[in-house]
Short mmCIF file of all heavy atoms in Angstrom, two decimals:
data_model
loop_
_atom_site.label_atom_id
_atom_site.label_comp_id
_atom_site.label_asym_id
_atom_site.label_seq_id
_atom_site.Cartn_x
_atom_site.Cartn_y
_atom_site.Cartn_z
N ALA A 14 -0.82 -2.15 -7.94
CA ALA A 14 0.09 -1.37 -8.76
C ALA A 14 -0.36 0.09 -8.88
O ALA A 14 -1.55 0.40 -8.73
CB ALA A 14 0.20 -2.02 -10.15
N MET A 17 -1.11 3.61 -14.35
CA MET A 17 -0.73 3.19 -15.69
C MET A 17 0.16 1.96 -15.74
O MET A 17 0.68 1.58 -16.79
CB MET A 17 -0.07 4.34 -16.49
CG MET A 17 -1.00 5.51 -16.72
SD MET A 17 -0.22 6.86 -17.68
CE MET A 17 -0.04 6.04 -19.28
N LEU A 26 8.59 -5.77 -6.07
CA LEU A 26 8.25 -6.24 -4.72
C LEU A 26 7.65 -7.61 -4.76
O LEU A 26 8.01 -8.51 -3.98
CB LEU A 26 7.33 -5.25 -4.02
CG LEU A 26 6.93 -5.64 -2.59
CD1 LEU A 26 8.17 -5.69 -1.69
CD2 LEU A 26 5.90 -4.65 -2.01
N ALA A 29 10.32 -10.11 -5.25
CA ALA A 29 11.12 -10.30 -4.04
C ALA A 29 10.39 -11.14 -2.99
O ALA A 29 11.02 -11.94 -2.28
CB ALA A 29 11.50 -8.95 -3.44
N ARG A 31 8.02 -13.41 -3.58
CA ARG A 31 7.55 -14.71 -4.07
C ARG A 31 8.26 -15.88 -3.41
O ARG A 31 7.63 -16.94 -3.16
CB ARG A 31 7.74 -14.72 -5.60
CG ARG A 31 6.82 -15.73 -6.32
CD ARG A 31 7.03 -15.58 -7.81
NE ARG A 31 6.51 -14.35 -8.33
CZ ARG A 31 7.06 -13.60 -9.30
NH1 ARG A 31 8.23 -13.99 -9.84
NH2 ARG A 31 6.53 -12.48 -9.70
N VAL A 39 1.32 -14.47 -3.28
CA VAL A 39 1.47 -13.06 -3.61
C VAL A 39 0.97 -12.83 -5.05
O VAL A 39 1.27 -13.63 -5.93
CB VAL A 39 2.93 -12.56 -3.43
CG1 VAL A 39 3.91 -13.37 -4.27
CG2 VAL A 39 3.06 -11.08 -3.75
N THR A 41 -0.23 -9.39 -7.87
CA THR A 41 -0.33 -7.98 -8.11
C THR A 41 -1.57 -7.71 -8.94
O THR A 41 -1.83 -8.42 -9.92
CB THR A 41 0.92 -7.45 -8.86
OG1 THR A 41 2.09 -7.69 -8.05
CG2 THR A 41 0.80 -5.95 -9.12
N ILE A 42 -2.33 -6.71 -8.53
CA ILE A 42 -3.51 -6.30 -9.33
C ILE A 42 -3.21 -4.94 -9.95
O ILE A 42 -2.41 -4.13 -9.47
CB ILE A 42 -4.80 -6.25 -8.50
CG1 ILE A 42 -4.71 -5.18 -7.42
CG2 ILE A 42 -5.09 -7.62 -7.88
CD1 ILE A 42 -6.03 -4.87 -6.75
N THR A 45 -5.52 0.56 -12.81
CA THR A 45 -5.60 1.81 -13.60
C THR A 45 -5.13 1.79 -15.06
O THR A 45 -5.26 2.82 -15.74
CB THR A 45 -4.77 2.96 -12.87
OG1 THR A 45 -3.42 2.55 -12.82
CG2 THR A 45 -5.32 3.24 -11.51
N LYS A 49 -10.69 3.59 -19.45
CA LYS A 49 -11.79 4.10 -18.62
C LYS A 49 -11.30 4.39 -17.19
O LYS A 49 -11.69 5.40 -16.59
CB LYS A 49 -12.94 3.06 -18.58
CG LYS A 49 -14.20 3.61 -17.94
CD LYS A 49 -15.33 2.59 -18.08
CE LYS A 49 -16.60 3.13 -17.44
NZ LYS A 49 -17.69 2.14 -17.49
N ILE A 105 -9.12 -8.15 5.69
CA ILE A 105 -7.78 -7.58 5.50
C ILE A 105 -7.10 -7.46 6.86
O ILE A 105 -7.56 -6.72 7.73
CB ILE A 105 -7.85 -6.22 4.78
CG1 ILE A 105 -8.44 -6.42 3.38
CG2 ILE A 105 -6.46 -5.57 4.71
CD1 ILE A 105 -8.76 -5.08 2.69
N VAL A 148 -9.17 9.57 5.22
CA VAL A 148 -8.88 10.10 6.55
C VAL A 148 -10.14 10.07 7.41
O VAL A 148 -10.10 9.68 8.61
CB VAL A 148 -8.35 11.56 6.42
CG1 VAL A 148 -8.29 12.21 7.82
CG2 VAL A 148 -6.99 11.56 5.80
N SER A 150 -12.74 8.09 7.08
CA SER A 150 -13.09 6.71 7.33
C SER A 150 -12.23 6.11 8.49
O SER A 150 -12.74 5.42 9.35
CB SER A 150 -12.85 5.84 6.10
OG SER A 150 -13.76 6.18 5.07
N ASN A 164 9.64 7.55 2.17
CA ASN A 164 11.03 7.71 1.60
C ASN A 164 11.32 9.23 1.59
O ASN A 164 10.66 9.97 0.91
CB ASN A 164 11.04 7.14 0.17
CG ASN A 164 12.33 7.47 -0.56
OD1 ASN A 164 13.32 7.97 0.00
ND2 ASN A 164 12.32 7.22 -1.86
N PRO A 172 7.89 13.67 0.50
CA PRO A 172 7.74 13.03 1.80
C PRO A 172 6.53 13.54 2.58
O PRO A 172 5.89 12.79 3.32
CB PRO A 172 9.07 13.36 2.50
CG PRO A 172 10.03 13.57 1.38
CD PRO A 172 9.23 14.23 0.29
N GLN A 182 1.79 6.61 15.04
CA GLN A 182 3.09 6.75 15.72
C GLN A 182 4.19 6.73 14.67
O GLN A 182 4.14 5.90 13.78
CB GLN A 182 3.29 5.62 16.74
CG GLN A 182 3.12 4.23 16.16
CD GLN A 182 2.91 3.17 17.20
OE1 GLN A 182 3.55 3.16 18.23
NE2 GLN A 182 1.99 2.25 16.94
N GLU A 189 18.95 -1.03 9.76
CA GLU A 189 18.01 -2.10 9.33
C GLU A 189 17.66 -3.01 10.50
O GLU A 189 17.22 -4.14 10.34
CB GLU A 189 18.61 -2.88 8.19
CG GLU A 189 18.78 -2.05 6.92
CD GLU A 189 19.31 -2.83 5.75
OE1 GLU A 189 19.10 -4.03 5.73
OE2 GLU A 189 19.92 -2.21 4.86
N ASP A 215 20.44 1.32 -10.19
CA ASP A 215 21.24 2.21 -11.06
C ASP A 215 21.40 1.65 -12.47
O ASP A 215 22.22 2.10 -13.22
CB ASP A 215 22.62 2.40 -10.42
CG ASP A 215 22.55 3.12 -9.11
OD1 ASP A 215 21.70 4.06 -9.02
OD2 ASP A 215 23.30 2.79 -8.19
N GLY A 217 19.40 -0.08 -16.21
CA GLY A 217 18.20 0.04 -17.04
C GLY A 217 17.89 1.46 -17.44
O GLY A 217 18.64 2.40 -17.20
N ALA A 266 -17.81 -8.15 -1.33
CA ALA A 266 -18.94 -7.48 -2.05
C ALA A 266 -19.96 -6.92 -1.05
O ALA A 266 -20.14 -7.39 0.05
CB ALA A 266 -19.66 -8.50 -2.95
N GLN A 278 -17.13 17.95 3.03
CA GLN A 278 -16.13 18.99 2.87
C GLN A 278 -15.90 19.28 1.41
O GLN A 278 -15.96 18.40 0.58
CB GLN A 278 -14.81 18.50 3.48
CG GLN A 278 -14.96 18.19 4.99
CD GLN A 278 -13.61 17.89 5.60
OE1 GLN A 278 -12.60 18.37 5.16
NE2 GLN A 278 -13.61 17.04 6.65
#
Side-chain angles (χ1 to χ4, degrees):
M17 297 182 68
L26 182 61
R31 203 175 290 142
V39 57
T41 300
I42 65 168
T45 62
K49 190 175 180 183
I105 297 171
V148 170
S150 294
N164 170 11
Q182 55 197 316
E189 296 184 24
D215 294 324
Q278 300 187 30

